[in-house]
Amino acid sequence: MKERKIGRPRTFDADQALDKAMKVFWEKGYEGSSLPELTEAMGMNRPSLYAVFGNKENLFKLALERYGATHDPLFDAALQKATARGVVEHFLRGNADAQTEEENPHGCLVINGALACSDDALPIRNSLIERRAVAEARLRDRFDRAKAEGDLPEDFCASQMARYVMTMSNGMAVQAAAGASRKQLQEVVDQVLRGWPGA
């Protein structure tokens, strides 16, 4: 009797495997995540990974989509706040919490994923840069609306403030990945809000 080859287990859960890959990328970045580390975390061999998810680049894109599905709603909710200050407070405080969750790697996948990319990983780096640029543009448009509604002064520069807020958010992610505590990040947010126009 021929011995049956053991392939992917029948109980294989693609969503669960993708969650595990997401956390590896989140912690180590795109290039810092090796295929052996990914396959070990996902509980599958390399041929199975390629068969289900394609190559490493496609796996990262799928992991990024999964990350966005759970983290983008925070930004969307922030943009709905009644005032520009409320937008910034909700966004930055939410990030401070999300970037320091005990059950997840600290920092932000969109930031960690693009750090220290070589030329071979430029498509990934560029897609992450574009993602951040889209978020900054949405924030700028929200500030422009706040100006039109009289919530912000006429001389307020929406584009500069959007860039500033996104820079603070990105910097907080780097600090979180380096070990900054939630309390420390919230203190950064306090400082940002103290300098808000009319605060």
Side-chain angles (χ1 to χ4, degrees), residues 56-82:
K56 179 183 173 183
E57 181 177 338
N58 193 60
L59 175 63
F60 180 82
K61 290 177 179 178
L62 292 171
L64 186 62
E65 288 177 8
R66 194 163 188 82
Y67 178 87
T70 56
H71 289 75
D72 288 350
L74 167 66
F75 187 53
D76 294 338
L79 295 177
Q80 299 303 315
K81 293 299 177 182

Side-chain angles (χ1 to χ4, degrees), residues 36-192:
E37 286 172 321
L38 288 165
T39 54
E40 181 179 355
M42 297 167 75
M44 58 198 307
N45 58 33
R46 190 176 298 195
S48 294
L49 185 152
Y50 287 138
V52 177
F53 298 105
N55 58 19
K56 179 183 173 183
E57 181 177 338
N58 193 60
L59 175 63
F60 180 82
K61 290 177 179 178
L62 292 171
L64 186 62
E65 288 177 8
R66 194 163 188 82
Y67 178 87
T70 56
H71 289 75
D72 288 350
L74 167 66
F75 187 53
D76 294 338
L79 295 177
Q80 299 303 315
K81 293 299 177 182
T83 65
R85 188 183 190 281
V87 169
V88 173
E89 180 168 18
H90 187 91
F91 176 53
L92 292 183
R93 291 206 186 283
N95 278 345
D97 290 344
Q99 291 165 2
T100 53
E101 292 174 337
E102 291 185 3
E103 65 272 22
N104 288 317
H106 286 188
C108 168
L109 174 59
V110 179
I111 302 300
N112 295 355
L115 295 177
C117 281
S118 69
D119 290 345
D120 291 339
L122 279 179
I124 290 294
R125 180 174 178 270
N126 290 338
S127 69
L128 293 172
I129 290 173
E130 181 180 356
R131 184 183 178 90
R132 295 198 297 269
V134 168
E136 183 177 315
R138 293 182 66 196
L139 191 58
R140 181 199 64 221
D141 291 345
R142 178 63 183 83
F143 290 158
D144 276 331
R145 195 184 97 197
K147 280 178 65 176
E149 294 171 348
D151 178 42
L152 291 171
E154 291 183 4
D155 61 351
F156 183 93
C157 182
S159 60
Q160 289 180 7
M161 185 56 76
R163 190 173 304 116
Y164 168 70
V165 171
M166 294 306 298
T167 298
M168 294 306 300
S169 174
N170 297 344
M172 286 166 56
V174 173
Q175 290 294 312
S181 68
R182 178 171 296 181
K183 180 176 182 294
Q184 289 172 323
L185 295 185
Q186 291 291 0
E187 289 170 348
V188 171
V189 180
D190 291 340
Q191 190 62 41
V192 172

Side-chain angles (χ1 to χ4, degrees), residues 18-45:
L18 190 56
D19 277 338
K20 291 179 178 177
M22 178 185 72
K23 290 188 176 183
V24 174
F25 285 129
W26 191 344
E27 181 178 2
K28 298 177 178 291
Y30 175 73
E31 287 212 314
S33 302
S34 68
L35 280 172
E37 286 172 321
L38 288 165
T39 54
E40 181 179 355
M42 297 167 75
M44 58 198 307
N45 58 33

